[in-house]
Amino acid sequence: MRKSTLLLPILVVLGIAALSAVFIVDEREKALVLRFGRVVDVKETPGLAFKLPVIDNVVRYDDRILSLEVGPLEVTPLDDRRLIVDAFSRYRIANVDTFRQAVGAGGIGAAESRLDKIMRAQTREVLGSVSSNDILSSDRAALMLRIRNGAITQARQLGLEVIDVRLKRTDLPQANLEATFARMRAEREREAADEIARGEEAAQRVRAQADRTEVELVSEAEREAEVIRGEADAERNGIFATAYGADPEFFEFYRSLNAYVGALQGSNSSMVLSPDSDFFNYLKSSGGKPAVQ
């Protein structure tokens, strides 16, 4: 009876000791076994692991990729055009032993505080070595890679591996926005005025060329018309001369008829002439008197 009474507490103590000597390492984490604050073992493989009961202590760290937001940061590029930059980084704990030695009991919070300082320093250094146009152009991918590469060496001293760095937002300070917008508007207005001026100049050239072409065409047409009229008059005069030479009396009669048509126009025309005038030579009767008055 006395032996069984003593054996039961011993078994309970042994069972508790055995259970406390076993712990499980999750696949999403790494574990450190500490003995009086000193690292004695590193557990990176998922599954069961063992430690000394009571004496050893297990500290677990996340083995997944973690994110760190770098708050708004003011940088000054080479052209002294201040910018506000937001960034974030992706990192993971690569060496838990080094990580523990670097941050102690502070854990992830202490590590991110130090990594934030590293990221800010690298961002200022890299973006301060280029112009604002480079930061806002397609070259920013290369700039992010430079920031990451610069942070890798320093982060390695913390047991961290920096996987990626991204610039989320790159803006001007609020105080500079209005001045920048005004300058942009002035530049666009100047470009528009230049385009309008060039358009007016081109229009003037086109109009001048059109006016010149018009004058040349009209002059050429008038010249050709005068030539044609002169040739026609010459041909007409030649015909008249031929007709006059062939029958002078008929030609005289024809000219008289044309003169009568021109003089006696209208339905109420009157003419006062001398009876013996040659004008009505072909309208006189056989008695020598005019046939009409």
Side-chain angles (χ1 to χ4, degrees), residues 118-136:
I118 293 173
M119 293 301 304
R120 287 176 176 271
Q122 286 298 317
T123 302
R124 282 196 177 98
E125 179 181 349
V126 172
L127 300 187
S129 64
V130 296
S131 67
S132 57
N133 291 332
D134 294 331
I135 298 174
L136 299 175

Side-chain angles (χ1 to χ4, degrees), residues 138-154:
S138 58
D139 293 336
R140 63 186 296 164
L143 297 177
M144 291 186 290
L145 184 60
R146 287 177 55 187
I147 295 173
R148 182 187 74 95
N149 293 339
I152 284 177
T153 302
Q154 299 182 52

Side-chain angles (χ1 to χ4, degrees), residues 250-263 282-283:
F250 176 78
F251 183 74
E252 189 68 25
F253 173 71
Y254 175 76
R255 291 184 63 186
S256 298
L257 290 180
N258 286 334
Y260 297 156
V261 171
Y282 289 98
L283 296 179

